[in-house]
Amino acid sequence: RLLGARVPEIEPLAGEDLDRALERGALVVDARSPEAHATQRIAESMSVPAGSSFGTWLGWVVDPDRPVVLLVDDVADLDGISRQALRIGFESIVGFIDGGLRAWKASGRPVQAGSIVDVDRLAADLSGGDPPLVIDVRQASEFEAGHVPGAVHIGAGELPAMLDRLPRDRPIATICASCYRS
């Protein structure tokens, strides 16, 4: 498909249209900042922040045949997201959540809360009675160059396939070099 000045518009989804997309197995791809996803997110959504690496990450961690519903803070991001998806052959974006996370919550849909933990807090948590499982999602060479003692290495691209194998009975902390991959 040739990309001209305009790309196909991504349709806004709300109410029954959004319900239908999710019932058909659509994955919510959260294109907001990593920090926004870490603190408030839709259950089972995947964080792939808008920006110059969106297409790379989308192609790496999302099945190209799975329908996708986007969550964005700014609809102006949709054009760039659409272009990057199409450039890698990803044509499964079925829409975006009209009104963003605010509309999602206003409709009574659940939101999960999380937190961003700094190094000092992680060190304290690791020395406490209920230490988290630390998953280092950096590249193997980065992990080998140095990592948190006891951390498990699972590359960011491999993590989605490993989710069912992770423990559910203890906290989990993911780490990387910049908060983008984790």
Side-chain angles (χ1 to χ4, degrees), residues 99-120:
L101 190 63
R102 184 176 326 173
W104 176 274
K105 293 189 313 189
S107 72
R109 299 170 193 270
V111 174
Q112 294 178 329
S115 62
I116 297 174
V117 177
D118 66 23
V119 172
D120 294 330

Side-chain angles (χ1 to χ4, degrees), residues 48-58 84 180:
V48 182
S52 61
S53 297
F54 179 84
T56 301
W57 282 99
L58 182 71
Q84 288 187 52
Y180 188 89

Side-chain angles (χ1 to χ4, degrees), residues 23-25 41-42 54 68 73 77 96 101 108 122-123 131 136 161 180 182:
E23 287 166 5
R24 292 181 181 143
R41 67 189 158 274
I42 295 170
F54 179 84
V68 164
D73 276 334
D77 291 336
F96 71 95
L101 190 63
L122 180 60
D136 190 322
Y180 188 89
S182 61

Side-chain angles (χ1 to χ4, degrees), residues 88-162:
I88 64 164
F90 195 100
E91 298 182 8
S92 303
I93 298 175
V94 296
F96 71 95
I97 298 172
D98 193 14
L101 190 63
R102 184 176 326 173
W104 176 274
K105 293 189 313 189
S107 72
R109 299 170 193 270
V111 174
Q112 294 178 329
S115 62
I116 297 174
V117 177
D118 66 23
V119 172
D120 294 330
R121 166 86 185 276
L122 180 60
D125 289 349
L126 287 170
S127 64
D130 188 23
L133 168 64
V134 178
I135 300 173
D136 190 322
V137 300
R138 300 175 299 156
Q139 296 293 319
S141 60
E142 294 173 286
F143 182 80
E144 291 166 8
H147 56 270
V148 171
V152 174
H153 178 252
I154 304 174
E158 288 79 41
L159 189 56
M162 302 289 291

